[in-house]
Amino acid sequence: MTAVTAESAARRPLHLSTGLGDLGLALGISIFIFATYAAAGFPTLSSPGGDNDSLLRLVEVRDLLGGQAWFDLHQYRMGPEGGFVMHWSRLIDAPLAGIALLASALGAGVELSEGIALTLWPLLLMAGTLFGLIQIARSLGGDHTVLPTATLGAGALYFVGIYRPGSIDHHNAQIALTVAMLAFLVKSPGKRRFPALAGVAAAVMLAIGMETAPYVAVGGAAAALAFLFGDEREARGAASFGLSFAAATFAAFLITVGPANWSVPECDAMSNVQLALAAFGGIGLALVALSPATNSTFGRRLLGLFALSATFLAVARFAFPQCLGDPYAAIDPRLRSLWLDYVAEAQSVIDLARADWTKLLAYFVTPAIALGFLAIHLGRHGVTRAKLIYGGFLLATFLVSCWQVRGSSFSIPLATGALALGLGGLRERIAVSPSPARSVALVAVWLASFNLLWSAAGGALSARAAVVGMASSADECSADAGFTELASLPAGAVLAVSDLGAPILANTPHRVLAGPYHRNVAGNLAMIDAFLAKTDDAEAVVRSQGIDHVALCRGNAENRNFTQRSPDGLMADLMAERVPSWLALDPETRGHTIEIYRVLSPASR
C-alpha cells in the first residue's frame, strides 16, 4: 500500500468529522485559557490595563443600548461641547449589544449581561481564530501540523493580549477575519464557496477598519495571481472572490453608513470611497477572469490583469487622492510630538529599536523564524499553491509590522503555520530515523517557536526594567476602582490627559475633553494647550471649554511628557503640588490613584 504523504494529506478534502474535531479542539483550548482568567477573578474586566479602545467601545455599546441611533456615531461625551464623530464600525457594536440583550432576556442583570458580553465575545473570536489557524496548517502540511499549530497558536493569541476578557475593540475581530480569509484562499478552488467566503471575509474586515486594507489587497492579489497561473477552476475562483467582495462591501455600506452620508468620502471608515474601489476591483476581476477575451491564454490573462490594475490605481489616484497619503501626515505637530510619537503600535521597527531594542524579540523573532522555516521547506519539498499564498500573507504581515508594530498582532499568529511545518517535518524525520541530536533539535525548535519565551527574554534583557513600577502605576490609572470619587460628583466636564479619557467615560457620567483618537482634534489640542500653558493662560482655556474638574493620575506617562515640555505649565505645577488659585484639590482624593481638582468660580476665589 502506498504511504500517504503530508502533501497528499493536505490536498484531501476536509471531512465534516475532522472539521468538527478541529473546532472542538480550538474551542476547548480557548475555554481552558478563559478558565485561567476566571480562576484569577477576571482581573482585566475591572482593570483593563490601559485598553482605551475596549473601554470606549463599551461606552459605544452602552449608548446604542441606551437609544442612540444606529447610524449616529457621535461620541457626545468626548471632545468640545457636542462631541465628535467616531470612525468605528457598528459591525462590532452589534454582536456585543446582541449578547448583552440575550443575557438580559434570560434574566441577567445589567452588570452581569455586560460582563457576559465582555467575556463571551473575545472567547468566541479566540476559538474562531485558532480554528482558522488549524485549517490553514492542514492545507499546508496535513494532520501532523495540527498539534503544533494548536499549541503555538494558543500561545500566540494569548501573547498578543487582545483576546482576553474585556478586549472588545475591533482588532481581534480583524485578525479572526484575516485568518478566515487566508484559510479559505489556501483551500482548493474546486468549490466556489471557498473563494466566495474569502471575499466576504475581506469585505467585512475592511468595513470594520481600514487597518486591514493591506491584507485585503494581498487577498485580492492572491486570487488574481492564482487565476493568472492557474486553470479554469482558478478563473471561477477569482471571479467568485471578486463578486462576493464587491457584493459584501455594498451590503456593509448599506448596513453601516446612513443615507445622509452616502455622498461623503471618508478615508478612515467605510464610505463611498471603499465602496467604489471594491466594486471596481471586485467586479473588474470577475470580468477579466470570466471573459474569453481575457482568460483564454496566459498572455491575455496577464494583459487583462495589468489593464485592470492600472485602471484601478488611476481611479484611486485621481478620484480619491486624499486617501493615498500618510493618514497622519496632516496631524498637528503638537499632537504628533505629545501623543502619536508615543503610541507604541504606530511605531516602526526602526523607532522601536531606537527606543528599546529588546522589544524586537517579542514582536519580530517568531515571524522571522517562520519565514526562514518556510523558505527551507519550499526548497526541500517544492512549491504548492497553498504555500505560496500563505507565504505571501506571512511576508505581507511581517512587512506591515516593520512599518507599524501593530502589524505584529497579525504576523505572530499567522507564523504558527510555518512553524508547525518545521516542527512537523522534524518530528517525521525523528520517527523515521531517531537520534539524540534530532531530539535535542526538536526541543530547541519547540522552544524557539514560542513567542512568549522571546517576550520573556526581552523583558529580562530590557534596560528599562527600572520603570516597571511606573508601568504598573499607569495600569492602575484605568482601573475601575480609581474613579469612585469622580463618579459620585454631578455630571460635568473633566480635563485630563488623553489616556484617561476612555476610562472616565466608562466609569463616570462626565464629559471629557481629550481621548487618544485622531478625529478628536479640537478636544486634544485644547487639553494640550491647557496643560502646557502657564497658570493664567491655562485658566482661560479651562473656562472657555466649560471644564468643571481636573483629574490627575500621577503614574501616567503623559504627565512626564507635558512636564518636560513645559516645566512652568499647569501639568508641571500639579505634579509638583503647586495648585493654582483657581483650582481646589478634593481632600478625599489626596494620595489616591485619581486626584480630583475642582474648578472654582471666579467669585469664590
Side-chain angles (χ1 to χ4, degrees):
M1 181 179 294
T2 304
V4 179
T5 65
E7 293 293 336
S8 62
R11 289 192 293 268
R12 290 183 306 188
L14 184 66
H15 296 292
L16 179 60
S17 59
T18 305
L20 290 176
D22 291 346
L23 181 59
L25 176 63
L27 185 59
I29 292 174
S30 300
I31 291 175
F32 173 79
I33 292 175
F34 272 66
T36 64
Y37 291 124
F42 290 115
T44 55
L45 293 183
S46 59
S47 183
D51 187 358
N52 290 307
D53 288 354
S54 291
L55 289 173
L56 192 62
R57 176 70 68 182
L58 176 59
V59 172
E60 283 198 353
V61 172
R62 288 173 177 171
D63 292 342
L64 181 63
L65 291 173
Q68 186 164 328
W70 174 263
F71 292 121
D72 183 6
L73 296 179
H74 276 83
Q75 185 41 252
Y76 291 101
R77 293 197 296 130
M78 182 176 283
E81 189 68 38
F84 69 102
V85 181
M86 277 295 290
H87 61 290
W88 289 351
S89 172
R90 287 291 194 201
L91 293 179
I92 299 297
D93 297 339
L96 289 164
I99 294 171
L101 286 174
L102 179 59
S104 179
L106 294 176
V110 174
E111 185 175 352
L112 179 58
S113 299
E114 193 172 271
I116 291 173
L118 289 171
T119 303
L120 186 58
W121 178 243
L123 168 63
L124 294 174
L125 288 175
M126 173 178 276
T129 306
L130 188 55
F131 174 68
L133 292 174
I134 293 173
Q135 301 315 297
I136 293 170
R138 280 194 180 278
S139 296
L140 297 176
D143 296 345
H144 72 278
T145 62
V146 172
L147 175 61
T149 300
T151 306
L152 297 175
L157 297 181
Y158 181 86
F159 165 78
V160 296
I162 55 177
Y163 287 89
R164 60 191 183 183
S167 294
I168 57 171
D169 72 351
H170 51 276
H171 298 111
N172 46 21
Q174 289 176 318
I175 296 174
L177 288 165
T178 300
V179 169
M181 178 179 67
L182 179 54
F184 289 126
L185 283 173
V186 297
K187 290 184 179 294
S188 170
K191 296 183 178 180
R192 296 188 187 182
R193 72 173 183 272
F194 292 144
L197 289 171
V200 172
V204 175
M205 70 190 205
L206 186 67
I208 289 173
M210 296 304 110
E211 303 99 317
T212 55
Y215 312 131
V216 173
V218 174
L225 290 174
F227 155 66
L228 175 63
F229 293 100
D231 54 16
E232 184 179 348
R233 294 186 310 161
E234 297 287 6
R236 292 195 300 266
S240 295
F241 177 91
L243 290 175
S244 65
F245 175 60
T249 302
F250 180 62
F253 177 83
L254 294 178
I255 292 171
T256 61
V257 181
N261 292 319
W262 284 356
S263 61
V264 179
E266 301 283 3
C267 300
D268 60 352
M270 175 58 70
S271 70
N272 54 26
V273 175
Q274 293 75 22
L275 176 62
L277 294 177
F280 187 90
I283 296 174
L285 177 60
L287 291 176
V288 171
L290 296 178
S291 173
T294 53
N295 71 2
S296 56
T297 67
F298 177 84
R300 290 187 176 187
R301 293 194 294 271
L302 180 62
L303 183 61
L305 290 175
F306 177 80
L308 174 63
S309 301
T311 308
F312 178 88
L313 292 175
V315 170
R317 170 66 180 84
F318 294 106
F320 311 109
Q322 72 276 21
C323 297
L324 297 181
D326 181 353
Y328 300 117
I331 196 169
D332 188 281
R334 290 171 293 172
L335 286 178
R336 180 177 293 277
S337 62
L338 287 168
W339 167 55
L340 188 60
D341 287 347
Y342 293 93
V343 177
E345 66 177 20
Q347 293 181 342
S348 70
V349 63
I350 297 175
D351 294 333
L352 189 65
R354 289 171 177 169
D356 186 359
W357 69 268
T358 61
K359 292 183 179 179
L360 300 179
L361 299 178
Y363 295 121
F364 297 99
V365 171
T366 51
I369 292 175
L371 287 168
F373 278 180
L374 183 62
I376 294 172
H377 180 88
L378 293 177
R380 287 178 175 175
H381 301 283
V383 174
T384 65
R385 173 188 181 277
K387 291 169 187 174
L388 277 179
I389 294 175
Y390 166 77
F393 265 91
L394 180 58
L395 179 60
T397 57
F398 183 75
L399 293 176
V400 170
S401 69
C402 291
W403 172 48
Q404 288 192 336
V405 174
R406 74 181 70 193
S408 63
S409 61
F410 291 81
S411 62
I412 291 171
L414 283 181
T416 57
L419 296 172
L421 277 178
L423 285 165
L426 186 55
R427 289 169 59 204
E428 283 190 335
R429 289 193 292 276
I430 290 176
V432 173
S433 178
S435 71
R438 286 183 172 178
S439 297
V440 172
L442 179 61
V443 173
V445 172
W446 264 110
L447 293 175
S449 299
F450 277 104
N451 202 78
L452 286 169
L453 295 181
W454 290 107
S455 178
L461 293 171
S462 177
R464 301 193 173 191
V467 300
V468 169
M470 175 67 76
S472 177
S473 298
D475 287 346
E476 292 175 0
C477 290
S478 63
D480 296 357
F483 296 91
T484 303
E485 290 88 354
L486 187 60
S488 67
L489 299 174
V494 179
L495 170 67
V497 294
S498 63
D499 272 351
L500 293 184
I504 290 174
L505 291 192
N507 293 288
T508 78
H510 303 295
R511 173 175 70 89
V512 295
L513 193 59
Y517 303 100
H518 66 273
R519 284 195 175 188
N520 183 30
V521 175
N524 288 332
L525 287 177
M527 179 271 292
I528 289 174
D529 289 340
F531 279 133
L532 292 183
K534 295 181 180 180
T535 298
D536 292 342
D537 292 335
E539 180 184 5
V541 175
V542 166
R543 297 197 185 280
S544 69
Q545 295 294 330
I547 299 299
D548 301 290
H549 304 282
V550 177
L552 178 72
C553 181
R554 293 187 176 275
N556 193 284
E558 281 189 84
N559 303 347
R560 183 174 61 254
N561 299 335
F562 282 106
T563 301
Q564 291 174 348
R565 178 64 64 87
S566 180
D568 55 354
L570 175 61
M571 176 60 77
D573 285 344
L574 294 178
M575 290 295 289
E577 300 185 0
R578 298 189 299 266
V579 183
S581 61
W582 49 274
L583 289 178
L585 172 64
D586 183 341
E588 294 185 2
T589 67
R590 183 184 297 275
H592 288 200
T593 302
I594 304 295
E595 295 179 357
I596 304 170
Y597 298 82
R598 181 166 56 92
V599 178
L600 302 175
S601 65
S604 64
R605 293 174 55 180

